[in-house]
């Protein structure tokens, strides 16, 4: 086995993260979840160790940085000294607003609501995150829904479980495959077009608020 590098470890970090997700979603026991979380933590330790060998940072620096960020971005939960406050916001919406306002203050140069969404995310996850970001930025859909998509949307609105949604998505992928299309690539393209239509300066960009 060759020398470990950040690049050579990426595939293992992703694999371990997906294994944690599978463990949770399939209802595996707590012992298995504990083990899978340990595998993810090992990847973090390895990356920190590689950085430490370069004289850059170590695992303790990662923990301190994370702790400081959590305290800084959650003043509604933590006092500046890191102790818990006596009362907390009444709603998740209020927490999200505070979090977003602090992030904006930290990086005021960010004008793109989609900045920071990893390009390597699976298309479905990237689509969901893009929609979340647009909603939190007070943006409406800039592009009209294609008429061919309307019956599918109306069908989804009648569903009441993720299993039904999953079955529908699976059939869409199967139909795309039969037609010679790559559903993942097609959705990546749709997400790119959606993000472009919501970026500052786009002529068709409507807003829901100030």
């Amino acid at each position: 086995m060759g020398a470990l590098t950040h690049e050579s470890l990426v595939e293992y970090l992703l694999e371990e993260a997906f294994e944690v997700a599978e463990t949770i979603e399939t209802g595996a026991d707590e012992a298995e979840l504990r083990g899978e979380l340990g595998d993810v933590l090992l990847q973090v330790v390895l990356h920190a160790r590689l950085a430490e060998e370069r004289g850059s940072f170590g695992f303790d620096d990662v923990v301190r940085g994370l702790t400081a960020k959590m305290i800084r971005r959650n003043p509604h939960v933590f006092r500046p000294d890191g102790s818990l406050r006596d009362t907390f916001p009444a709603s998740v919406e209020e927490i999200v607003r505070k979090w977003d306002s602090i992030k904006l203050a930290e990086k005021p140069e960010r004008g793109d609501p989609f900045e920071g969404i990893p390009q390597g995310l699976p298309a479905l996850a990237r689509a969901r995150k893009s929609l979340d970001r647009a909603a939190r930025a007070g943006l409406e859909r800039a592009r009209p829904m294609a008429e061919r998509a309307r019956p599918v949307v109306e069908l989804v609105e009648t569903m009441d479980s993720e299993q039904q949604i999953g079955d529908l998505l699976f059939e869409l992928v199967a139909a795309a495959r039969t037609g010679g299309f790559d559903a993942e690539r097609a959705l990546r393209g749709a997400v790119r077009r959606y993000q472009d239509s919501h970026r500052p300066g786009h002529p068709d960009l409507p807003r829901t608020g100030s």
Side-chain angles (χ1 to χ4, degrees), residues 33-78:
L33 176 58
R34 182 183 64 232
E36 295 297 347
L37 289 172
D39 291 341
V40 172
L41 181 58
L42 173 60
Q43 296 302 312
V44 176
V45 171
L46 288 174
H47 280 283
R49 178 60 181 171
L50 289 173
E52 187 175 18
E53 291 176 352
R54 296 197 310 274
S56 179
F57 62 84
F59 183 77
D60 288 347
D61 299 305
V62 173
V63 174
R64 281 194 292 268
L66 175 61
T67 301
K69 182 168 71 173
M70 289 298 99
I71 293 172
R72 184 175 67 250
R73 290 189 178 178
N74 294 278
H76 50 287
V77 176
F78 300 104

Side-chain angles (χ1 to χ4, degrees), residues 63-136:
V63 174
R64 281 194 292 268
L66 175 61
T67 301
K69 182 168 71 173
M70 289 298 99
I71 293 172
R72 184 175 67 250
R73 290 189 178 178
N74 294 278
H76 50 287
V77 176
F78 300 104
R79 298 186 181 94
D81 64 0
S83 61
L84 290 174
R85 294 192 178 276
D86 297 325
T87 59
F88 304 99
S91 69
V92 174
E93 290 76 14
E94 184 179 351
I95 292 173
V96 170
R97 283 197 301 272
K98 287 180 178 294
W99 175 276
D100 285 343
S101 65
I102 292 169
K103 285 182 66 177
L104 181 61
E106 289 178 356
K107 298 184 178 181
E109 71 281 2
R110 275 193 174 181
D112 184 346
F114 308 109
E115 185 176 346
I117 298 178
Q119 296 288 328
L121 275 180
L124 279 173
R126 196 155 177 250
R128 170 63 186 269
K129 202 163 189 66
S130 297
L131 291 166
D132 286 344
R133 289 284 191 89
R136 283 157 61 176

